Amino acid sequence: MTPELRRAHLALAMIAGALGVAGFAPAGVAPLAIVSVAALFGLAARYAPRHAFALGFAWGLGHFGVGVSWVYVSLHDFGMMPAPIAAAATALFCAYLALFPAAAMAATQKLGGGTAARLLLAAPGLWVIAEWVRMWLFTGFPWLALGYSQIDTPLAGLAPLGGVFAVSLASALVAGALACLVLARGAVRVAAVGVAGALFATGFAAGRIEWTAPTGSPVSVALLQGNIPQDLKFDPARYRATLETYLRLAEASHAKLIVFPETAVPRFLDAVDPALVERIAARARANGGDALLGVPLRDADGRYFNALVSIGTSPRQTYAKSHLVPFGEFIPPGFHWIVAVLRIPLSDFSRGGSDQPPLSVAGQRVAPNICYEDVFGEEIIRMLPAATLLVNVSNVAWFGDSLAPAQHLEISRMRALETGRYLLRATNTGVTAIVDDRGRIVARLPTFAEGTLDGAAQGRTGATPYVRAGNAPAILGSLALAAAAFAASRRVQRAPTL
């Protein structure tokens, strides 16, 4: 192809990637996410591996450049990083993320084979493998995995079977089928329609299955949203006013389970006036239940933890965050110089253990997670099936009025659906919400508003297939598709010529 046409295709790939972000929350136009990937598959199918890599990279720059632009907000607006450095850091991060779709497209074309094998086997399988690698490499960043965009479509019914990567795989297969309708002919088109139809039918049928069962009566809950501006949250002069806001919200509640956001108390627990903590405990006891308090803890060795502490009727219990955010919550070796540039309080937490038990509070067994942790489905299921309820506490004020809060809620909804558990989200500025075991939003508070979300959550028992097997089935299925594409390409290469 001519250089001019290649440049045009690169521009189209970048535009497609950017438009694909509208398939995710808050816009939530789910078909756009699949069409975006289908456009990339179709464009890359015309090229050799190195040009396919460039197309995937252009798509990724558009997709992540729009979809995770909120990284700049946290670095510059609240981390006080100079604008040029923050912009460069955000651009480099998006370029890093763009390497994954680029690698998937290059590997797809490297496998060779016919159009149908590449679009219906190699591209979907390698796409999901790339998403999975992105989940754990350098502590992981699986944000905007394709499956999240389908939380409100029939394909979401596959989540309890194989998690978000199973939904990603189905979505990528549909994208491949759409590309086949444009590029292929005859029987391949018919097969592509059949594949897409079968996936939606399977998802719809699986979505009708009740994988878990209710246990006991619903528990009354109160989720507190203090709406403390991030630039004031850790201001010592504002400390008393912050605490009084949360005390007022808590003491007005009659719920059996009161949940505070992440670091609602912006001071180490041992430095907080015990009388103030007792006021919260007294309210929880008066309600016959417990409160979960987001507060940093420190030990005798000087280590400190991002934690959730239970106070009230039950014995005091603690959960310490185990999956920390690089640069935001811990500084990787060799990067401590960045502390001089990035002004983030408590930016070098210690990790909590990976084998912490559920918290027994308010008659429930709660599997807590803090902020970014609920992006990692296999880490959430560590406490299951023992836990009856999921609780996420967050402070997404770091990202201002950006796409991040709505995207994070979408991710939380997927965790509830995967596990068949209600999920409670208590956040500082939003989105505070109650999500049921089907991933549906039962109730929510508006963002950037102080308030208490009162409601009820039904504890549930049992285990979905995802709780038992994790991501393995989806990843093995993706590898099988890639292997089948490779086998098909080898057969084509060995076929005798006449």
Side-chain angles (χ1 to χ4, degrees):
M1 293 191 184
T2 65
E4 291 78 11
L5 190 56
R6 285 199 294 268
R7 286 194 291 271
H9 285 169
L10 286 171
L12 283 173
M14 185 175 290
I15 292 168
L19 290 176
V21 177
F24 298 80
V29 187
L32 266 180
I34 291 179
V35 170
S36 170
V37 174
L40 175 60
F41 285 2
L43 288 170
R46 305 166 184 265
Y47 287 98
R50 66 189 183 94
H51 291 304
F53 181 94
L55 285 165
F57 189 74
W59 185 95
L61 286 179
H63 194 64
F64 297 111
V66 173
V68 298
S69 56
W70 40 263
V71 169
Y72 174 84
V73 177
S74 64
L75 294 176
H76 175 259
D77 294 8
F78 301 114
M80 303 303 170
M81 182 178 279
I85 300 177
T90 303
L92 285 172
F93 182 56
C94 292
Y96 161 72
L97 296 176
L99 291 173
F100 293 92
M105 291 301 94
T108 294
Q109 295 306 101
K110 188 73 174 175
L111 286 179
T115 299
R118 292 199 305 273
L119 295 179
L120 292 176
L121 297 173
L126 291 169
W127 185 271
V128 174
I129 291 167
E131 285 192 343
W132 174 69
V133 173
R134 181 159 62 88
M135 181 194 69
W136 53 261
L137 190 64
F138 304 127
T139 79
F141 189 81
W143 212 273
L144 294 184
L146 180 60
Y148 289 120
S149 68
Q150 304 304 305
I151 187 67
D152 292 312
T153 76
L155 295 180
L158 300 172
L161 292 172
V164 69
F165 291 125
V167 186
S168 281
L169 182 57
S171 304
L173 281 163
V174 173
L178 286 176
C180 270
L181 291 179
V182 176
L183 298 180
R185 296 289 182 269
V188 173
R189 283 184 167 183
V190 175
V193 172
V195 166
L199 289 168
F200 277 101
T202 302
F204 181 83
R208 310 266 88 61
I209 299 173
E210 190 168 7
W211 299 101
T212 58
T215 178
S217 300
V219 59
S220 59
V221 300
L223 313 180
L224 310 186
Q225 182 171 294
N227 193 36
I228 310 300
Q230 185 59 36
D231 53 353
L232 299 177
K233 182 176 173 67
F234 291 95
D235 183 351
R238 177 63 190 256
Y239 167 72
R240 184 71 191 197
T242 295
L243 208 54
E244 286 294 343
T245 295
Y246 281 111
L247 285 169
R248 173 168 43 81
L249 294 174
E251 290 181 328
S253 173
H254 299 284
K256 194 168 184 180
L257 179 60
I258 303 171
V259 185
F260 290 71
E262 177 187 15
T263 58
V265 179
R267 183 171 290 186
F268 291 115
L269 183 59
D270 61 88
V272 178
D273 183 351
L276 299 178
V277 178
E278 176 54 30
R279 283 173 59 182
I280 300 171
R283 168 47 59 185
R285 288 194 296 268
N287 297 347
D290 298 279
L292 295 178
L293 181 64
V295 60
L297 302 178
R298 59 186 171 187
D299 63 16
D301 298 324
R303 299 182 306 165
Y304 51 89
F305 303 86
N306 190 352
L308 199 59
V309 177
S310 74
I311 51 178
T313 304
S314 305
R316 182 170 292 191
Q317 300 153 76
T318 299
Y319 170 77
K321 187 175 184 181
S322 64
H323 198 130
L324 304 177
V325 180
F327 303 106
E329 291 179 315
F330 81 97
I331 307 300
F335 285 90
H336 278 77
W337 57 269
I338 204 170
V339 174
V341 179
L342 193 61
R343 290 185 236 165
I344 295 179
L346 301 174
S347 58
D348 207 4
F349 283 104
S350 295
R351 301 177 189 276
S354 60
D355 57 350
Q356 299 174 75
L359 306 180
S360 297
V361 292
Q364 299 291 321
R365 294 186 301 281
V366 170
N369 56 88
I370 298 176
C371 197
Y372 180 70
E373 286 186 305
D374 73 346
V375 178
F376 303 94
E378 278 196 323
E379 296 181 11
I380 298 300
I381 63 175
R382 288 172 182 165
M383 295 188 188
L384 296 172
T388 58
L389 196 64
L390 305 181
V391 169
N392 173 266
V393 298
S394 295
N395 177 31
V396 236
W398 278 110
F399 309 111
D401 188 14
S402 68
L403 300 174
Q407 291 173 349
H408 197 184
L409 175 61
E410 188 170 68
I411 289 168
S412 294
R413 293 177 61 198
M414 185 63 74
R415 298 292 88 84
L417 181 59
E418 288 171 346
T419 59
R421 297 294 191 278
Y422 267 68
L423 184 144
L424 308 177
R425 296 190 81 238
T427 69
N428 177 22
T429 57
V431 179
T432 295
I434 299 172
V435 181
D436 73 8
D437 57 295
R438 300 279 180 162
R440 299 170 298 202
I441 299 171
V442 175
R444 59 181 287 175
L445 289 178
T447 55
F448 302 104
E450 179 189 310
T452 299
L453 183 59
D454 293 304
Q458 175 63 63
R460 300 186 71 86
T461 58
T464 64
Y466 179 72
V467 166
R468 298 195 183 282
N471 293 324
I475 303 309
L476 290 174
S478 300
L479 287 169
L481 288 180
F486 178 73
S489 71
R490 298 287 289 176
R491 284 197 298 271
V492 170
Q493 292 170 9
R494 292 172 180 170
T497 56
L498 299 178

